[in-house]
Amino acid sequence: MSGFPSFEYRDNELYVESVPLSHIAKTFGTPCYVYSKKVITDAYQAFDTAFADNDHLICYSVKANANIAILNLLARLGCGFDIVSGGELQRVLKAGGDPGKIVFSGVGKNTEEMRLALTAKILCFNVESEAELNALNQIAAEMGKIASVSLRVNPDVDAKTHPYISTGLKENKFGIPIDDAERIYTTSQELTHIRFTGLDCHIGSQLTELGPFVQASDRILSLVSRIESKGIEIEHLDLGGGLGIRYHEEETPSIQEYVESLCTNISQLNKRILIEPGRALIGNAGLLLTRVEYLKQTPDKNFAIVDAAMNDLMRPALYDAYHEILPVIKNDINKETYQIVGPICETGDFLGHDRELNSTSGDILAVMSSGAYGMSMSSNYNTRPRVAEVMVDGDDVHLIRERETIDHLIATEKILP
Ligand code: LLP
């Protein structure tokens, strides 16, 4: 339980902060995402404190979990935001986020999204291709505005993570090849509605070693000196997100160690440092509560069929990701090995394989470390309404998203005349 400081057993019952999870299951039903305000706040403050000696801006990567209560909590703490769509921009603004602290990432920003972001006066566009740079220049010109830009460079570094979430290798679709960046910074002066203010990179997600971050920041460092020697001043360096969390047995660097490793070389430049953490801020702050519907024994396996499924938490099905699964009421006697599976009609619909549990129908289980890329990647597959989300704050529980209904799901559909 060491990875979940605000999730602990008291007399064999699992609590979030001061609230027993069985109370939440009873009040709000299952499946249901539960977040701890304290864990989110502590994680943000750990980043902020670690950067205390540097001019810095922490831009939470909204895609990890876009609930507006979470965005609002972070905005109140002083956090900025890394967005990848016009929709995320609107969420951040609605949640009270400061547009002057927003960076806009992503390989495929469309013209409408660029317009929205220019109107909102965001801090910076992280541009990922020359074609995008030209399009942004044209739109900014039409609007009579100047777009602040960082080029996102691809430093060709192996992040040593799952191939689906590795982004900094030259064969990946992300960023501008590092060897082209210098030319683009220096030859794009005729783009009269672009102002280069920064340099950006993001090499992947769920990194459990510091080496790749250091390698990438070294490459960025030497690129900055080459660009500045041509008379272009870089105001900030955006080093992306990617710090991994402990799901199972991973040994992950602490936030402090991560920030120190980023700053070792970069801080000599005396520039503002931006980072875009998602998972490290929210991943271990959330869990998915689910109820065991049925136990089923076959000659080969024991199945615990639960009411949450791959549409609620896609990570196991998509990346074969491991999430710890804990009983809300602990019973260590007569445990058996179970496949924890959902009701969806796919063999890939599982939340955990080979878990030791004493389980009965009606038991409540907690799928841990699901705060990041859980709700935000959920879908309505099998016409399953998205689940409720609640935030615990001490002994208070707040509903921060109502459970969807079937009416919500079909509201925009139309039958032929
Ligand atoms: N910045 C950029 C440009 C990104 O693309 C991402 C994540 C982040 C920051 C935040 O990365 P983090 O600090 O959360 O590692 N669905 C996958 C993760 C995909 C990450 C995509 N980009 C998962 O469930 O593991």
Side-chain angles (χ1 to χ4, degrees):
M1 297 293 292
S2 58
F4 315 110
S6 289
F7 301 89
E8 59 175 19
Y9 282 106
R10 298 187 200 161
D11 292 333
N12 288 329
E13 174 154 19
L14 191 55
Y15 276 65
V16 178
E17 301 192 22
S18 305
V19 181
L21 278 163
S22 52
H23 167 73
I24 294 179
K26 229 176 268 154
T27 314
F28 299 98
T30 57
C32 171
Y33 276 101
V34 184
Y35 309 105
S36 157
K37 182 179 169 199
K38 180 171 175 1
V39 178
I40 303 171
T41 308
D42 288 353
Y44 176 79
Q45 276 161 356
F47 275 108
D48 202 35
T49 310
F51 270 119
D53 296 336
N54 292 272
D55 183 8
H56 66 278
L57 180 64
I58 299 157
C59 294
Y60 168 64
S61 191
V62 173
K63 65 175 83 65
N65 190 318
N67 185 295
I68 60 169
I70 291 170
L71 303 181
N72 172 260
L73 168 62
L74 288 165
R76 280 192 276 159
L77 292 168
C79 195
F81 298 92
D82 160 49
I83 58 163
V84 288
S85 69
E88 287 190 351
L89 173 58
Q90 290 178 64
R91 277 182 176 275
V92 170
L93 297 178
K94 176 135 187 132
D98 177 352
K101 293 182 179 176
I102 296 177
V103 296
F104 194 167
S105 306
V107 291
K109 302 169 195 80
N110 64 36
T111 52
E112 187 51 34
E113 291 173 323
M114 288 176 178
R115 276 200 192 94
L116 271 176
L118 283 165
T119 306
K121 300 195 175 66
I122 65 163
L123 175 65
C124 189
F125 290 84
N126 291 338
V127 167
E128 303 219 17
S129 64
E130 283 187 270
E132 183 193 336
L133 189 64
N134 291 329
L136 181 59
N137 180 59
Q138 195 183 327
I139 289 159
E142 281 163 23
M143 295 175 71
K145 292 187 183 286
I146 303 287
S148 295
V149 166
S150 281
L151 292 188
R152 172 172 174 181
V153 301
N154 182 324
D156 193 22
V157 165
D158 183 358
K160 301 193 181 126
T161 183
H162 191 288
Y164 288 7
I165 54 176
S166 178
T167 54
L169 283 170
K170 62 179 187 310
E171 60 265 34
N172 300 140
K173 70 177 174 183
F174 298 98
I176 288 169
I178 193 154
D179 294 334
D180 293 348
E182 188 179 340
R183 173 184 57 77
I184 301 174
Y185 272 104
T186 48
T187 60
S188 301
Q189 300 308 315
E190 73 273 19
L191 300 179
T192 48
H193 291 262
I194 298 290
R195 189 167 86 86
F196 287 119
T197 54
L199 188 61
D200 168 49
C201 83
H202 167 78
I203 57 172
S205 194
Q206 185 54 15
L207 273 72
T208 53
E209 292 173 33
L210 294 176
F213 288 119
V214 174
Q215 232 183 322
S217 57
D218 282 348
R219 291 187 187 173
I220 294 294
L221 190 72
S222 77
L223 177 61
V224 172
S225 19
R226 292 201 302 275
I227 296 170
E228 292 205 319
S229 72
K230 304 266 167 55
I232 292 159
E233 206 208 325
I234 299 295
E235 292 164 18
H236 75 250
L237 298 174
D238 181 341
L239 300 171
L243 176 62
I245 60 166
R246 187 182 166 98
Y247 284 99
H248 188 203
E249 286 165 342
E250 304 91 335
E251 290 300 331
T252 51
S254 68
I255 287 172
Q256 173 81 25
E257 288 165 335
Y258 162 73
V259 170
E260 270 168 20
S261 80
L262 293 184
C263 291
T264 312
N265 294 332
I266 293 279
S267 55
Q268 58 181 276
L269 291 175
N270 264 331
K271 298 199 185 294
R272 189 179 202 202
I273 301 178
L274 270 57
I275 52 164
E276 304 168 354
R279 192 185 321 256
L281 280 172
I282 186 79
N284 274 334
L287 58 81
L288 174 61
L289 267 191
T290 183
R291 198 168 65 96
V292 178
E293 298 280 13
Y294 305 107
L295 297 181
K296 171 169 168 174
Q297 277 185 337
T298 68
D300 281 331
K301 305 267 184 196
N302 287 329
F303 294 95
I305 301 165
V306 298
D307 63 359
M310 64 188 283
N311 72 300
D312 304 309
L313 178 64
M314 199 184 182
R315 303 192 69 258
L318 189 59
Y319 313 115
D320 207 10
Y322 183 98
H323 286 259
E324 190 164 356
I325 300 179
L326 299 174
V328 162
I329 307 290
K330 195 158 148 185
N331 180 352
D332 285 335
I333 306 160
N334 299 330
K335 287 189 183 175
E336 298 208 41
T337 304
Y338 285 100
Q339 313 305 316
I340 317 286
V341 299
I344 282 185
C345 306
E346 301 220 18
T347 300
D349 179 28
F350 70 95
L351 297 176
H353 284 140
D354 299 326
R355 304 305 174 88
E356 303 287 316
L357 283 174
N358 173 327
S359 195
T360 341
S361 164
D363 282 358
I364 308 293
L365 304 176
V367 186
M368 307 302 288
S369 310
S370 337
Y373 308 109
M375 189 64 180
S376 63
M377 289 172 71
S378 65
S379 77
N380 294 120
Y381 188 37
N382 280 206
T383 305
R384 291 169 50 85
R386 280 194 184 75
V387 306
E389 293 179 290
V390 303
M391 172 95 73
V392 174
D393 178 12
D395 46 21
D396 291 332
V397 186
H398 304 278
L399 181 64
I400 59 169
R401 179 181 176 122
E402 283 174 21
R403 189 177 302 282
E404 274 177 349
T405 63
I406 302 298
D407 284 345
H408 288 131
L409 265 57
I410 58 176
T412 53
E413 298 175 26
K414 303 248 183 300
I415 288 171
L416 294 181

